[in-house]
Amino acid sequence: MPKNRNTFPSPTAWGRRVLARAVHLGWRWVQEAGAVTAEHPGRLRFRRLGPGTRLAFPQGTVFGEAWIELGDHCIIAEQVTLTAGMMPGLDLGCDPILTLGDGVVLGRGSHVIADTRVTIGSNTYCGPYVYITSTNHSYDDPHEPVGRQWPRTDPVEIGPGCWLGTGAVILPGARLGRNVVVAAGAVVRGEVPDHSVVAGAPARVVRSWDEERGWQPPLRTPAPRPIPEGVTPEQLVALAQLEES
């Protein structure tokens, strides 16, 4: 005969559940309290921090805030690094060094390193772990360690409406046009024209768009159907559940 088992949780299991719930609730409170917004900037004093913009907690390394401008309704995920200047405490002059337009999204763990001017256009979305830098190591002297040689800097400009995939690297001197798509893991330098898709290391244009021919090479998937006007989020959820069943 099988032994009867207690159907009620043991005191130890019950205690662990209570503790786990308390930890999760506490962490959620810490995340809310530690987030940086225009209303609650904490210790950070940006040159501009637009309304609706939020830096999630925990933040990554942030310094040179006096030369960093963040537009309206930006989303800065956890552990994102934003720096202006090579180190804290430098006087970088009167003009901003790092500028994010309205609606910019920086995914978790991304880095934006602006030792000279870096501009990210409005409504540009970055996946996690994107690296954007205006500085690169130099290795001119073969007898000196690379890390001890003075780096080179070159401004970076990313146009509005771009999408940078996970792990993309944008090198000094890069100029991305409007609505550029950068594939995951791509390493970008130089000029990228409007409405281009780039991939690879170093990145090259693999697809582009113009008024007469459209996308070349042609897209392999049909264009998504636009959501009809007047459809509510609740109706979309119900439709998705119906399609799954």
Side-chain angles (χ1 to χ4, degrees):
M1 293 290 294
K3 295 183 179 179
N4 291 328
R5 294 184 177 179
N6 188 358
T7 58
F8 297 98
S10 67
T12 302
W14 179 84
R16 288 179 61 86
R17 291 176 185 175
V18 171
L19 179 60
R21 181 171 177 78
V23 168
H24 285 290
L25 290 174
W27 179 243
R28 187 177 304 172
W29 181 89
V30 169
Q31 287 179 307
E32 288 295 323
V36 171
T37 63
E39 297 77 18
H40 304 285
R43 64 176 181 82
L44 300 176
R45 294 293 182 267
F46 290 99
R47 183 185 182 100
R48 182 176 187 272
L49 181 56
T53 290
R54 179 185 178 94
L55 285 76
F57 180 87
Q59 292 90 36
T61 300
V62 179
F63 63 76
E65 310 97 276
W67 292 272
I68 299 176
E69 292 186 344
L70 306 179
D72 302 349
H73 304 288
C74 296
I75 299 174
I76 315 299
E78 297 177 12
Q79 299 291 355
V80 169
T81 290
L82 298 172
T83 65
M86 291 189 179
M87 62 187 69
L90 298 178
D91 184 351
L92 304 178
C94 300
D95 298 326
I97 301 296
L98 172 56
T99 302
L100 273 60
D102 298 340
V104 170
V105 175
L106 296 178
R108 179 187 178 92
S110 293
H111 289 62
V112 185
I113 311 299
D115 294 337
T116 188
R117 185 150 179 75
V118 173
T119 304
I120 302 178
S122 299
N123 300 310
T124 285
Y125 288 17
C126 300
Y129 307 107
V130 168
Y131 192 89
I132 302 169
T133 180
S134 65
T135 301
N136 212 346
H137 292 289
S138 58
Y139 50 88
D140 303 61
D141 187 344
H143 306 294
E144 188 74 14
V146 173
R148 295 178 59 181
Q149 298 186 45
W150 192 254
R152 290 187 171 88
T153 61
D154 203 355
V156 171
E157 184 175 350
I158 299 172
C162 294
W163 166 254
L164 279 60
T166 301
V169 177
I170 311 300
L171 293 176
R175 307 282 193 280
L176 278 64
R178 174 185 295 272
N179 283 32
V180 169
V181 176
V182 178
V187 180
V188 182
R189 61 184 305 171
E191 299 275 347
V192 179
D194 296 348
H195 309 295
S196 297
V197 180
V198 296
R204 62 182 182 88
V205 176
V206 297
R207 180 172 278 122
S208 58
W209 180 91
D210 63 45
E211 290 281 357
E212 296 182 358
R213 301 189 303 159
W215 285 104
Q216 295 296 324
L219 297 175
R220 292 174 292 181
T221 55
R225 291 176 294 176
I227 298 173
E229 293 186 9
V231 175
T232 66
E234 291 77 13
Q235 290 172 325
L236 289 175
V237 171
L239 180 61
Q241 293 173 343
L242 181 63
E243 291 179 347
E244 291 175 357
S245 60

